[in-house]
Amino acid sequence: MFFVNPTPPKRERAMSLRELLTVNKVRISGAVLLAAAGALAFGACGDDDGDFENCGNGITCPAPLICAARQAKCLETACGDGIVGTYKDGEGNEIFEECDDGNVLDYDGCSADCRIETCGDGIVQRQRITYDDRGTAISIEPGEICDWGEEGVGPENCLAEDVKDAEGNVLIAACRSNLKCGNGVVDPGEICDHGNGLDSVGNWAGNVSSGSFDCSKDCGSDNSCGNGILDNDPTSIVGRTLEECDVGNADKELLPVFPVGTHETAKCIEGCVIQLCGDGKVTGDEQCDPGTVGGTTAICNSDCTLGQCGDGRVNMLAGEECDTGDSNDANQWAVEETTGQKTWKGTATCTNICKKNICGDDFYVTDSAGQPVANSDGVKEECDDGKRGSDFCTRECKANICGDLFIGKIRTVDAEGLESIFTEECDDGPTGSRTCTAQCTRSSCGDGIVNAVALEECDPGEAVAKGEDGNWANCNYDCTTPKCGDGILNASAGEECDHNLGEGSAVGNRLCNFDCTASKCGDGKINAKADEYCDPGDASRDANDPIGNWAVCNYDCTNVFCGDKLVNKAAGEECDPGTGIGQSDSWQAQAPSVRCNIDCTNSRCGDGKVNAVAGEECDPGESGDWSGCSRETCTLVRSSGAR
């Protein structure tokens, strides 16, 4: 039981212990504050001397805290003292209680802040709890599922008033239905409600994903056969077989219902299952049943007749691609004499196993004159060995001939009827290819046939002798015409080397001249790639030169100049100081040596050439004035007093 204030004021926040203790700016010691807080938290005991209130239930509350009327708890405010009145919040505002049931607990009709808990207050009270005098829950019942007073929720999605029967009995309590299928309440417009939208404690959880045994997922059907509703959604039916149809009821108030597209001859029978050709049951004049409407099996046609090749019906599940059989055409059937068993022979477009007659199926038809008849692809087959190509029959089912791009055997018959067989080595069409001649033999260099398609320029044949290098004198080993610079050394054609720089090249490389002769100094051919500057030829070397120089060229085919470090007697040099090396801009000696003058003559005192490197200071020559110059050393003669 709790008391109610007839005019509930606006709800305010309750004062805390610290706010109560300091509301009148009274200074409280830390020890007192801690003691009060401890008493509040743990129900500390104390003597009954006026500073504490004995609650009579084992709880003693230190001032200024007070006892709750029906709960083992010390209160900071008057809310919970069992008397509907007022109290001050932490800011000193006066709060009017709507109710006071003696505790500060929710879900019992009066909230922890002394407000009435009722449908429409904007707060969803998920449970209804009954507490004893110490505030211990002794019973819990389902509470509200929704509250039309909360933000975003209105009477259109939360039941605002009780739904009652004619006698006034409450069928659905206000705020106990959110007007959704799955809330466990059969709301107006629903046939049933499976309650699958509630959680384990009866609160609305949403996410309805299935129905139940006697209620569909959308709460619109009780899932019974004969209710005129096609219950075939597996998520709506739990624990019973899905309906194929619905028979309706006996007085035809509810007509039979079939799935969209059901065959017009279908019937709905007991158990709400469909009976027709294709339902898997052999009834009436049916010879068989394929098990699916309009379908077939390997032994049963779509009209529930037994299937066989030649019956004129294409049974695809039996592997048939065609069936042009006619039971009235005796020419299409072979009859076994003993048993009378009939076997279909097939036609030009359909084989005797009901496959389309195509090239490669080992089946072909000729007319009465033995001429080929067009198959299902319109091809007149001349042969068919079932392999899409064999020795005598091509992939296109034509007799094999050279040039038809099929490698096989060719059968020919001469005028006298003598048969001969030629075995093709290859077949790349009427003009041949790089590897196959037009006569269907393998093409190779040395076969004596110039195959222009294979880029052959010559082919003397293996019967013509080759040189030791594997070339012919007039043809390279790869059947190309020998050319200096083609990169092939053809000694049989007179080449000593090949620089591989192309036909007509004016240059060679270090080892090979432009004319494919081996490059060497003295061959009379200046090979700049071999660093030759000159080459008069071996025949014109100076026989009197000890190392074989020419007058215009050193023995190693380098330019002759004084200072090149090579003594060229043929060019008139007596010596060479070697001081012109690297001076290609001047091509002359830059300085003498001890034994050689700058003009490549032997250095000696009296030659008229002052060789400072040899220590000479003067040299007037044999006929010159030697006054002041020593004839022995070519040094200046200094007086004894000279310093």
Side-chain angles (χ1 to χ4, degrees), residues 501-570:
L501 296 176
E503 183 181 7
S505 174
V507 296
N509 55 36
R510 292 183 64 86
L511 302 177
C512 193
N513 292 323
F514 66 91
D515 61 354
C516 289
T517 57
S519 175
K520 66 183 182 68
C521 181
D523 60 8
K525 301 165 185 175
I526 300 174
N527 189 332
K529 296 292 184 179
D531 297 327
E532 292 184 349
Y533 290 87
C534 53
D535 194 327
D538 285 334
S540 61
R541 289 184 188 272
D542 191 330
N544 296 319
D545 189 279
I547 60 174
N549 290 307
W550 295 274
V552 295
C553 190
N554 288 327
Y555 77 94
D556 60 356
C557 291
T558 58
N559 264 345
V560 180
F561 67 94
C562 180
D564 62 5
K565 208 174 183 177
L566 294 174
V567 180
N568 191 327
K569 299 292 185 180

Side-chain angles (χ1 to χ4, degrees), residues 25-42:
K25 301 185 183 291
V26 177
R27 191 177 302 274
I28 306 297
S29 69
V32 174
L33 182 60
L34 287 174
L40 176 63
F42 302 107

Side-chain angles (χ1 to χ4, degrees), residues 158-212:
C158 186
L159 189 65
E161 296 181 354
D162 294 343
V163 176
K164 302 178 181 179
D165 60 16
E167 287 75 26
N169 299 314
V170 175
L171 301 177
I172 309 174
C175 290
R176 276 294 298 157
S177 173
N178 56 6
L179 303 179
K180 297 180 184 296
C181 174
N183 62 8
V185 178
V186 181
D187 293 312
E190 293 181 344
I191 293 177
C192 56
D193 197 297
H194 42 68
N196 290 341
L198 302 177
D199 61 16
S200 60
V201 296
N203 295 323
W204 175 252
N207 300 322
V208 176
S209 59
S210 65
S212 64

Side-chain angles (χ1 to χ4, degrees), residues 85-436:
T86 62
Y87 61 89
K88 292 184 180 295
D89 62 12
E91 298 177 356
N93 299 314
E94 189 173 17
I95 305 301
F96 288 87
E97 297 178 340
E98 297 178 4
C99 59
D100 196 316
D101 58 357
N103 63 43
V104 285
L105 299 170
D106 290 322
Y107 305 135
D108 60 351
C110 186
S111 68
D113 56 356
C114 292
R115 300 299 303 272
I116 296 175
E117 297 172 332
T118 184
C119 177
D121 62 2
I123 301 174
V124 179
Q125 307 295 326
R126 301 293 185 186
Q127 301 170 331
R128 282 297 183 187
I129 304 176
T130 301
Y131 300 101
D132 62 13
D133 288 344
R134 291 185 58 83
T136 302
I138 57 177
S139 67
I140 301 175
E141 298 178 356
E144 298 176 346
I145 289 179
C146 58
D147 196 297
W148 51 267
E150 63 180 312
E151 183 177 356
V153 179
E156 68 278 2
N157 49 20
C158 186
L159 189 65
E161 296 181 354
D162 294 343
V163 176
K164 302 178 181 179
D165 60 16
E167 287 75 26
N169 299 314
V170 175
L171 301 177
I172 309 174
C175 290
R176 276 294 298 157
S177 173
N178 56 6
L179 303 179
K180 297 180 184 296
C181 174
N183 62 8
V185 178
V186 181
D187 293 312
E190 293 181 344
I191 293 177
C192 56
D193 197 297
H194 42 68
N196 290 341
L198 302 177
D199 61 16
S200 60
V201 296
N203 295 323
W204 175 252
N207 300 322
V208 176
S209 59
S210 65
S212 64
F213 180 83
D214 55 2
C215 191
S216 64
K217 183 170 66 175
D218 62 359
C219 299
S221 172
D222 60 5
N223 293 337
S224 62
C225 179
N227 63 4
I229 300 173
L230 180 59
D231 300 310
N232 62 354
D233 181 358
T235 64
S236 287
I237 300 175
V238 177
R240 66 169 71 193
T241 304
L242 300 181
E243 296 180 350
E244 298 177 4
C245 57
D246 195 279
V247 297
N249 51 19
D251 57 8
K252 301 301 180 183
E253 179 183 351
L254 299 176
L255 297 176
V257 180
F258 295 91
V260 176
T262 301
H263 196 274
E264 61 183 3
T265 61
K267 298 178 181 179
C268 193
I269 62 175
E270 183 180 356
C272 287
V273 294
I274 293 174
Q275 179 183 0
L276 76 161
C277 178
D279 64 1
K281 303 173 184 178
V282 180
T283 58
D285 60 354
E286 293 180 345
Q287 297 176 354
C288 57
D289 195 293
T292 55
V293 176
T296 58
T297 66
I299 61 173
C300 192
N301 294 322
S302 60
D303 61 355
C304 291
T305 58
L306 289 171
Q308 62 177 351
C309 181
D311 62 8
R313 301 177 180 88
V314 179
N315 188 327
M316 298 182 67
L317 290 182
E320 294 183 349
E321 298 173 355
C322 57
D323 195 321
T324 55
D326 183 354
S327 58
N328 297 319
D329 186 354
N331 293 326
Q332 292 188 9
W333 298 87
V335 181
E336 207 282 321
E337 294 182 1
T338 304
T339 63
Q341 179 69 38
K342 296 174 62 178
T343 304
W344 191 51
K345 296 188 293 185
T347 62
T349 58
C350 192
T351 70
N352 57 355
I353 57 173
C354 287
K355 301 291 185 182
K356 290 182 179 180
N357 184 18
I358 59 174
C359 177
D361 59 8
D362 198 21
F363 182 92
Y364 71 102
V365 176
T366 58
D367 60 18
S368 58
Q371 296 300 311
V373 179
N375 64 13
S376 61
D377 293 330
V379 176
K380 292 184 178 181
E381 297 179 343
E382 298 175 0
C383 54
D384 196 322
D385 55 11
K387 302 177 182 178
R388 289 305 298 265
S390 64
D391 286 344
F392 300 102
C393 194
T394 70
R395 289 185 294 268
E396 291 76 25
C397 292
K398 301 293 182 183
N400 187 29
I401 60 173
C402 180
D404 60 8
L405 299 175
F406 181 82
I407 302 173
K409 295 181 179 180
I410 301 174
R411 180 185 290 113
T412 57
V413 180
D414 61 17
E416 298 178 357
L418 182 63
E419 181 181 272
S420 63
I421 296 175
F422 167 68
T423 301
E424 297 176 320
E425 297 177 355
C426 55
D427 196 323
D428 290 343
T431 60
S433 68
R434 292 174 62 93
T435 58
C436 189

